[in-house]
Amino acid sequence: MYWTMGIILLVLWGLGLTTGSTEGYWVHLLLLFAMVALLLAVVSQGRRAASA
């Protein structure tokens, strides 16, 4: 689930960055949220592998 959220947010960030309709720092919040989602995916995947 976190992988999907992270990828979707990265795509939205890329689209917002390339279209030029950046509303200040708001488009960069998408990048921040995407990085957090991907980090959570890596941590939860590592936790699952350690407990197996």
Side-chain angles (χ1 to χ4, degrees), residues 10-34:
L10 278 175
V11 168
L12 288 174
W13 174 77
L15 286 173
L17 202 61
T18 57
T19 58
S21 63
T22 57
E23 301 289 330
Y25 65 92
W26 292 105
V27 72
H28 296 294
L29 284 177
L30 287 174
L31 178 62
L32 176 68
F33 292 147

Side-chain angles (χ1 to χ4, degrees), residues 2-3 5 34-47:
Y2 290 125
W3 285 107
M5 287 174 26
M35 291 297 133
V36 168
L38 290 174
L39 180 67
L40 286 172
V42 168
V43 168
S44 67
Q45 188 176 23
R47 208 179 284 167

